[in-house]
Structure formats: C-alpha cells, structure tokens
Amino acid sequence: MNKILFDKKYPAVILLVAFMFISPQIITQNMVIGSDAIFHFNRFFDVSEQIKNRNFEYFISIYGFQQSGRIVNALYGPFLAYFHGLLVLISKNWFVYQILSNFILYNLAGFSMYKFLASGNISHKKSLMGSLPYMCTFSILYWSTRQGFSSWGAAVMPLCLSLIFYVLEEKKVPKFRLGISVALLFQIHTLSAFMLVLIFMPIFMFAFCKSNQKFSFFAL
C-alpha cells in the first residue's frame, strides 16, 4: 500500500472549518452546559488539581466529586482525563477550556477521518470532502452540545480503523499497530475500544480465511 501523506493545503481547510464551528460560541461568550458536564468537569478538575499540587492519585478522586474518593478516571479514559486536566489547568476559566477542547475535538475528528479515507487510496480531495461532514455528525457534536465523552472515542475511531485496509490487502495483521490502536482507544473511551474490537473481529476472520500464510498472519 502506498504511503499516505497529507496534501499541504487540506489540513488548513480542516483547521478553518473547526474554527468556524467554535466561532459562534466565541462571539456569544456563552458556555454550553449539557447533561454530562458536571460529571466530566468534576473528573477533569480533579486531575488538574493533582497536576497543580503534584499530588497524583490514579484511582480515587481526591479533589473532584466533593473529595469523595470515587473511582472514576481509572475506568473512564484515564490517559485523556490527564490531557483534559492539563487543558483545564492552562485555561483561564471553564469557558476557555470548553472552546479549546471543542476546537481540538473537531480537528481530531477531521484529521482522523481524513487519514482513514486516504488509507483506502482515496484521493486527497475526496478524503477531505469525506472528513468535513464527519466533523458535523452527532457522534462528534455530542461533546460540544451535551459533553458526551463518547465523541472523543468517535473522533479517534477512524484513525484506529485505518489499519483494516492493510489487513485486507496484505492478508496479515500488524500486531504492534493493532495493539497501539486498541490501547490508545481504551485510554480515551473504554466502550469505544470494545466496539473497535468487535469491528475488527469479522474483518480479521475474513482476511485469515483468505490468507495463504496463516501461521504468519500476525505480522510485525
């Protein structure tokens, strides 16, 4: 499979569209508080205070959730929780944090889908035309409208799925890429990682049946 590279002008388009998506909120200067905001803001605040005070606790919440010691981040995207905690720490207030996190999410979704489509030997222009509508889907907007964390899993999912084109073409599974993809998504959103594995299973079974080298099906 040919190496996929970004056309120089297309990343700028994704960045511009992402900025257009957050511009109404910047103009109105209003936050959007959805049904899951309190839950996620509590766990991000907890991590931000851990970083600020250099008092790290992976399992229990020692600052958020009224210092109740709830086990949340360890089971709910621990790696990304620390990223959001750092984002909260460097933000002036929750409004700035929300703007930054939305902007990052839109870009992540756009570039992830662009990579997925380009990995299927689709032209750069068509890959871009496919990535922009994906940024507008409910699975991505769920974070900006209701603070549903599954949007972060959905944003990275296409990037993780991009290896299926290699599997179908080479009839072998790159085990290190597979491990990194599943581990990355598990650290972002556990349910999304489970869904990723379910998607991989029938594709890998099909490729295994078509492979002439079944003993070396899992490649490096």
Side-chain angles (χ1 to χ4, degrees):
M1 181 177 294
N2 295 330
K3 187 176 180 180
I4 303 300
L5 296 174
F6 284 97
D7 189 284
K8 292 181 180 179
K9 61 184 177 182
Y10 293 141
V13 176
I14 295 176
L15 287 167
L16 178 61
V17 171
F19 180 76
M20 290 173 60
F21 285 171
I22 65 172
S23 58
Q25 191 172 1
I26 296 176
I27 294 172
T28 59
Q29 293 288 299
N30 290 321
M31 285 191 65
V32 178
I33 303 298
S35 56
D36 292 341
I38 301 301
F39 174 78
H40 291 298
F41 286 7
N42 258 284
R43 67 192 194 93
F44 298 154
F45 170 76
D46 178 75
V47 174
S48 69
E49 288 297 304
Q50 290 185 30
I51 298 173
K52 180 180 179 180
N53 295 288
R54 298 180 182 179
N55 183 20
F56 295 99
E57 176 55 61
Y58 181 84
F59 291 99
I60 63 174
S61 300
I62 55 178
Y63 297 101
F65 299 102
Q66 298 180 330
Q67 302 178 354
S68 60
R70 293 178 61 180
I71 300 176
V72 179
N73 285 327
L75 302 175
Y76 210 98
F79 173 80
L80 199 61
Y82 278 91
F83 171 78
H84 279 274
L86 183 61
L87 203 61
V88 170
L89 192 61
I90 65 176
S91 299
K92 182 179 179 181
N93 49 48
W94 285 103
F95 172 76
V96 174
Y97 158 76
Q98 190 171 66
I99 293 294
L100 290 176
S101 63
N102 289 347
F103 183 71
I104 292 171
L105 176 66
Y106 291 137
N107 280 286
L108 186 61
F111 285 110
S112 178
M113 180 54 73
Y114 184 101
K115 171 63 177 176
F116 173 77
L117 296 173
S119 296
N121 288 324
I122 299 175
S123 68
H124 291 289
K125 184 176 181 180
K126 292 181 179 178
S127 296
L128 176 67
M129 297 305 295
S131 64
L132 297 183
Y134 185 66
M135 297 166 65
C136 307
T137 59
F138 178 75
S139 60
I140 303 301
L141 296 177
Y142 188 41
W143 169 255
S144 58
T145 58
R146 297 181 59 186
Q147 289 73 59
F149 206 66
S150 60
S151 293
W152 291 90
V156 181
M157 182 76 76
L159 178 64
C160 297
L161 288 174
S162 62
L163 66 83
I164 67 175
F165 297 107
Y166 176 90
V167 174
L168 293 175
E169 182 176 326
E170 302 294 333
K171 303 299 186 295
K172 60 179 62 175
V173 176
K175 58 184 179 182
F176 289 126
R177 283 182 60 189
L178 173 63
I180 292 172
S181 297
V182 176
L184 174 65
L185 202 53
F186 183 82
Q187 290 292 325
I188 293 174
H189 190 247
T190 307
L191 180 59
S192 296
F194 178 71
M195 294 172 63
L196 178 68
V197 173
L198 293 180
I199 295 172
F200 278 150
M201 288 177 62
I203 297 172
F204 290 175
M205 290 175 63
F206 173 80
F208 180 79
C209 293
K210 293 292 183 178
S211 175
N212 294 323
Q213 298 178 335
K214 293 182 171 55
F215 289 103
S216 59
F217 183 66
F218 286 93
L220 295 178

